[in-house]
Amino acid sequence: MVDTRTFSKANILVVGDVMLDRYWFGDVERISPEAPVPVLLVGNRDERLGGAANVAINASSLGAQLCLMGVVGNDEPGQTVETMLQQAGVQSRLLHDPQFPTIVKLRVIARQQQLVRIDFEERPSAEHLSTKMELFEQEYAKHDVVVFSDYGKGALEHVAAMIALCKQAGKTTLVDPKGDDYAKYAGASVLTPNRSEFKQVMGSWKTEAELHEKAQTLRTRLNLGALLLTRSEEGMTLFNNDGAFHVPAQAREVFDVSGAGDTVIATLACAIGSGMSLPDSVALANKAGGVVVGKLGTAVILPHELN
């Protein structure tokens, strides 16, 4: 039994790519006469916070003290993001870039199956990213744990400098990485790549021994406190100075993996921030990931679901 009330001790800053996830639900009953594509009659619509914002509301839902930093546009989706954060009780330090449209992912779904995803995105301006770095320098010292949620959309242009500041101040830093350049994450407390992301950087492996060697090599090369490899149906493996600690996957039907990594790193941050050991925090994050993949779309973990 986990006493999630202790998560109120966790004081977390989430920094990264803020998004709005939109869902259009409907029925398909015919094929278009214009082209061989299904015609969807939209019935219901839904909006959820995505990216770094999803990390923030997951941690907030578990009871942590939260602040979110990111960039949105001066547009309707940006205002929707701010309103949803306020409703969720999440403090935010969002920059509004008039030249940058808020990142939106639109998913069209019929009979619980995703037909298409449409992305609206551009990179933030260099000017606003510099301003964001200045805001970060003012904010990070107020928090014990800093989570960097990198979706490769440009908001973490200065992540290497941010991690260096946090390390110098003795802050715990958790990074959900993106891309094939992990050098910018050097010095982080915990790096949390998934299986395909790790393979992109370190290549494939045939045995557990080979995987362990690659993981520890990367950890040493980047001077990481720990590397947490999320392995889908194989669970999670934590690599640190003590060796490897493996947690099997929860026996649960996988419905939708969207946002599961956000839930995992949010739960990990709450657990570490409340004083739990790293192995216990990993086990709890694994359980949270097992719950959220049973939900449709980006979803929030609730405290009672961890028990």
Side-chain angles (χ1 to χ4, degrees), residues 107-142:
R107 295 174 174 89
V108 181
I109 298 171
R111 297 180 182 178
Q112 307 299 314
Q113 183 172 0
Q114 189 175 145
L115 299 181
V116 65
R117 194 183 89 184
I118 305 167
D119 292 0
F120 304 86
E121 63 180 63
E122 294 179 22
R123 294 184 74 83
S125 66
E127 177 186 354
H128 278 77
L129 290 176
S130 295
T131 302
K132 181 184 176 184
M133 184 63 195
E134 293 171 5
L135 281 177
F136 179 83
E137 291 171 348
Q138 299 169 15
E139 187 69 34
Y140 79 96
K142 305 173 186 176

Side-chain angles (χ1 to χ4, degrees), residues 117-188:
R117 194 183 89 184
I118 305 167
D119 292 0
F120 304 86
E121 63 180 63
E122 294 179 22
R123 294 184 74 83
S125 66
E127 177 186 354
H128 278 77
L129 290 176
S130 295
T131 302
K132 181 184 176 184
M133 184 63 195
E134 293 171 5
L135 281 177
F136 179 83
E137 291 171 348
Q138 299 169 15
E139 187 69 34
Y140 79 96
K142 305 173 186 176
H143 306 272
D144 302 318
V145 179
V146 182
V147 177
F148 296 101
S149 177
D150 195 349
Y151 274 78
K153 309 302 183 185
L156 287 176
E157 184 75 22
H158 301 121
V159 67
M162 292 176 174
I163 291 173
L165 283 173
C166 291
K167 187 172 184 179
Q168 186 176 8
K171 306 296 181 182
T172 299
T173 50
L174 311 181
V175 182
D176 191 354
K178 198 71 173 180
D180 57 6
D181 176 19
Y182 280 11
K184 57 190 174 185
Y185 307 128

Side-chain angles (χ1 to χ4, degrees), residues 95-281:
L95 284 173
H96 291 263
D97 186 343
Q99 276 76 51
F100 170 77
T102 302
I103 299 171
V104 176
K105 293 182 179 181
L106 171 60
R107 295 174 174 89
V108 181
I109 298 171
R111 297 180 182 178
Q112 307 299 314
Q113 183 172 0
Q114 189 175 145
L115 299 181
V116 65
R117 194 183 89 184
I118 305 167
D119 292 0
F120 304 86
E121 63 180 63
E122 294 179 22
R123 294 184 74 83
S125 66
E127 177 186 354
H128 278 77
L129 290 176
S130 295
T131 302
K132 181 184 176 184
M133 184 63 195
E134 293 171 5
L135 281 177
F136 179 83
E137 291 171 348
Q138 299 169 15
E139 187 69 34
Y140 79 96
K142 305 173 186 176
H143 306 272
D144 302 318
V145 179
V146 182
V147 177
F148 296 101
S149 177
D150 195 349
Y151 274 78
K153 309 302 183 185
L156 287 176
E157 184 75 22
H158 301 121
V159 67
M162 292 176 174
I163 291 173
L165 283 173
C166 291
K167 187 172 184 179
Q168 186 176 8
K171 306 296 181 182
T172 299
T173 50
L174 311 181
V175 182
D176 191 354
K178 198 71 173 180
D180 57 6
D181 176 19
Y182 280 11
K184 57 190 174 185
Y185 307 128
S189 304
V190 186
L191 191 69
T192 65
N194 63 35
R195 187 167 51 190
S196 61
E197 290 167 343
F198 181 79
K199 190 176 294 186
Q200 183 180 2
V201 174
M202 296 299 290
S204 59
W205 58 90
K206 294 181 179 179
T207 65
E208 280 293 304
E210 190 177 354
L211 168 61
H212 286 212
E213 181 181 355
K214 287 179 177 291
Q216 294 290 20
T217 296
L218 179 62
R219 192 181 67 81
T220 302
R221 181 190 303 166
L222 298 182
N223 190 27
L224 303 171
L227 176 73
L228 176 61
L229 181 62
T230 58
R231 305 172 64 179
S232 300
E233 73 280 358
E234 296 177 354
M236 299 180 183
T237 308
L238 175 71
F239 300 93
N240 58 16
N241 283 330
D242 297 328
F245 170 74
H246 183 73
V247 183
Q250 297 287 306
R252 180 179 289 270
E253 181 179 359
V254 176
F255 187 75
D256 191 339
V257 299
S258 301
D262 299 336
T263 300
V264 166
I265 200 168
T267 307
L268 191 68
C270 288
I272 293 173
S274 68
M276 290 179 64
S277 70
L278 187 52
D280 286 345
S281 299

Side-chain angles (χ1 to χ4, degrees), residues 80-93:
T80 299
V81 167
E82 290 225 272
T83 299
M84 294 176 73
L85 287 169
Q86 290 170 2
Q87 292 172 344
V90 175
Q91 179 190 2
S92 64
R93 299 286 301 275

